Amino acid sequence: MVNRAPSDGPAAPAMHTARSVRTVLGDIGPTGLGVCNAHDHLFLRSPQLPGQELADAEAAAAELNAFRAAGGAAVIQWTPYGMGRRAAELPRLARESGVRIVAATGLHQAAHYSPELLARVHGDLAGLFVTELTEGIGGTGPRAGMIKVAGGFHGLDRHARHTMAAAAEAQRATGAAIGVHLELGTGALDVLDLLCGTLAVPPDRVILGHLNRSPDLVVHRTAAEAGAYLAFDGPSRAHHATDWRLPEALAALADAGFGDRILLGGDTTTAAARSVNGGPGMPYLLGRHRERLARTLGKDLVARFLTANPAHAFAADWAPTG
């Protein structure tokens, strides 16, 4: 095992005392986030996944309890607007499990929605995102703590560009981080060109998801050099042939001094993938997956991926409301 101490590379940016993470039970100091699953789903519904909905609240509770028993303290739910977030359930689940939950606003690829829904929200997406971040989801629900958008396979269509423009406007208004679904891990640099170039979003407010699915080490390093956070999520998926490349990819980033840009997540998207139904689920992140990464990277650096890094990535200087 190569010994890579947590101090390798540049230090994580200093945390301004006013910064906080917006959970479904209220804002907390970044250090209170704890061991964090930086990308997962408690509830999810899409016409692209018929019959595989995450809709059972008690199964979600069981999954959170299993994650907590494995040492987990926080879950960032990346389920955006119109995909069955069941936001009203999230505060109860957080209280009963003791796991901090961050909810998302935002919009996924057009394929996940009906044309009628897209037509209804198209005109003021930024306003919708800001409302959910500052007032609450659905008018009375908990506030979202991040914005989730999506690119396409090796490209950005008109829907993605419109959604990302709205996300950038909402980010400027609130300070929230923007998490980006990269289709099979592709298009990361196109996303950064749009969000951080054309739309002037600070790179450290952008989290690129699913990079493990496209183990292009040059792209990974380029994105890290730009200042974005890199999320490697969805381990132990039989149809993701790149899982075995993850230790190599993370080692390359750490050796180049970018250990402070890495986040880890589970990305449970179907009921069958939950640990309570026999899948890897949320606990896998803190069990065999963490152990495997520690063999290459060392326990301290992997702990940093799970604690200090998400604390910085999801904390924001939230703009005053009211």
Side-chain angles (χ1 to χ4, degrees):
M1 181 184 72
V2 178
N3 182 23
R4 297 176 175 87
S7 58
D8 286 356
M15 190 71 73
H16 190 283
T17 55
R19 300 194 84 184
S20 60
V21 177
R22 182 151 290 171
T23 80
V24 298
L25 294 179
D27 295 356
I28 62 171
T31 57
L33 197 62
V35 174
C36 180
N37 177 346
H39 181 171
D40 224 311
H41 302 274
L42 292 164
F43 299 105
L44 182 70
R45 182 187 66 242
S46 168
Q48 299 297 301
L49 297 168
Q52 302 181 61
E53 295 81 6
L54 295 176
D56 186 332
E58 295 316 306
E63 196 72 2
L64 283 172
N65 289 336
F67 178 69
R68 181 69 170 172
V75 171
I76 315 298
Q77 171 164 268
W78 282 43
T79 309
Y81 178 87
M83 293 188 68
R85 290 172 292 182
R86 299 193 64 176
E89 296 278 1
L90 298 179
R92 175 183 69 83
L93 291 172
R95 283 191 296 267
E96 293 180 357
S97 67
V99 176
R100 299 168 188 88
I101 299 172
V102 174
T105 186
L107 211 65
H108 210 314
Q109 297 162 335
H112 294 283
Y113 303 98
S114 69
E116 293 77 17
L117 182 147
L118 292 178
R120 186 168 67 248
V121 301
H122 186 273
D124 188 19
L125 271 185
L128 170 65
F129 299 165
V130 169
T131 296
E132 294 199 333
L133 289 160
T134 60
E135 298 178 21
I137 296 170
T140 59
R143 292 185 294 183
M146 66 164 293
I147 307 164
K148 192 273 189 65
V149 294
F153 184 57
H154 287 291
L156 300 173
D157 62 13
R158 181 178 300 179
H159 171 85
R161 291 178 178 277
H162 178 73
T163 303
M164 290 185 190
E169 185 177 343
Q171 194 285 321
R172 286 191 292 272
T174 63
I178 301 173
V180 185
H181 166 98
L182 300 176
E183 187 68 21
L184 294 180
T186 66
L189 303 186
D190 292 334
V191 167
L192 291 178
D193 284 346
L194 177 60
L195 281 177
C196 303
T198 304
L199 299 172
V201 174
D204 67 350
R205 295 286 75 203
V206 176
I207 302 164
L208 300 170
H210 306 321
L211 285 168
N212 48 301
R213 302 182 194 179
S214 180
D216 186 327
L217 304 188
V218 174
V219 169
H220 294 178
R221 180 161 178 169
T222 303
E225 287 172 344
Y229 284 95
L230 281 61
F232 296 83
D233 40 53
S236 186
R237 303 295 171 80
H239 60 288
H240 293 169
T242 59
D243 278 357
W244 62 276
R245 296 286 303 274
L246 184 58
E248 172 194 356
L250 299 187
L253 284 168
D255 286 343
F258 298 110
D260 62 327
R261 314 315 295 170
I262 296 167
L263 306 175
L264 301 176
D267 192 31
T268 307
T269 57
T270 65
R274 281 182 160 151
S275 66
V276 295
N277 293 328
M282 291 184 182
Y284 183 84
L285 180 69
L286 302 181
R288 189 160 297 170
H289 188 55
R290 176 167 57 179
E291 294 165 4
R292 182 168 181 246
L293 294 180
R295 287 179 177 271
T296 301
L297 299 160
K299 292 182 179 180
D300 290 344
L301 188 55
V302 176
R304 181 178 181 179
F305 300 162
L306 292 165
T307 54
N309 291 358
H312 287 276
F314 294 101
D317 291 305
W318 295 98
T321 60

